Amino acid sequence: ILCGRVAQDEILAVMMLASICVPVFAADITIDKSTAQTAQSDVMTKLTKTDGSDAYTYTVTIPASVVVGWGDTTAQDAKYTVTSQLKLGDTLKVKAEANDGGKMTNAGTASTLTFTVANGEEAVYNEVNNAVDSATTVTIADFSGVPIAEYTGTMTYTVTYTAA
């Protein structure tokens, strides 16, 4: 038992000594005029800004609305735009999908329209992107059988940041 206590005291003493050790970093380099000399200095980056905040940034811009003219069955632009500067190995994932199966309603009628989203599947954006546009579109394929009115549905854009 005494032997075990001595070992614990020694470990504690070593830990206490280690805690007061000060790491040594390179000091400023002074070159005097007596002889020609050269010196090297490291230039490094940090993963934070000088104010201590995160250096990585990303912006995903989505449309506030997508307007489809009555009877227009062509694909309508619903693209999002990604601009990012992330840490090495980090990614952004963006997905666009119709809510409620694409069902569009009007408060004045029980009739509904349906829209579909194309190119909304999850896309991965690595580290650096400069105003990259998706190819996301919305289409209402069939306007027949419903009264002409303003119908509204919603879609959700999901953005997920993943650290390396």
Side-chain angles (χ1 to χ4, degrees):
I1 295 175
L2 181 58
C3 185
R5 177 72 179 156
V6 171
Q8 288 177 349
D9 289 342
E10 289 173 358
I11 291 171
L12 181 60
V14 169
M15 290 174 59
M16 289 172 57
L17 284 172
S19 70
I20 61 171
C21 292
V22 177
V24 177
F25 295 101
D28 289 337
I29 300 167
T30 303
I31 300 174
D32 65 27
K33 64 181 181 176
S34 62
T35 61
Q37 299 179 35
T38 61
Q40 294 181 344
S41 179
D42 293 332
V43 177
M44 300 175 278
T45 61
K46 295 188 329 178
L47 295 180
T48 56
K49 294 180 180 179
T50 54
D51 66 4
S53 64
D54 288 327
Y56 68 89
T57 60
Y58 65 87
T59 303
V60 178
T61 306
I62 64 171
S65 61
V66 178
V67 179
V68 181
W70 190 262
D72 189 349
T73 58
T74 61
Q76 305 296 310
D77 183 8
K79 71 181 177 195
Y80 57 85
T81 304
V82 176
T83 300
S84 64
Q85 185 175 14
L86 308 175
K87 291 184 233 174
L88 183 64
D90 290 1
T91 59
L92 281 179
K93 295 178 183 174
V94 184
K95 179 179 176 181
E97 59 189 335
N99 293 13
D100 198 21
K103 181 178 175 183
M104 302 175 70
T105 60
N106 175 283
T109 178
S111 298
T112 61
L113 288 173
T114 303
F115 72 94
T116 57
V117 176
N119 302 312
E121 48 280 325
E122 186 174 78
V124 178
Y125 298 89
N126 297 314
E127 294 122 8
V128 179
N129 298 278
N130 188 13
V132 176
D133 290 333
S134 73
T136 308
T137 61
V138 168
T139 304
I140 301 173
D142 186 11
F143 287 83
S144 64
V146 297
I148 298 172
E150 290 185 1
Y151 293 81
T152 304
T154 57
M155 57 188 293
T156 300
Y157 295 80
T158 304
V159 179
T160 306
Y161 168 77
T162 305

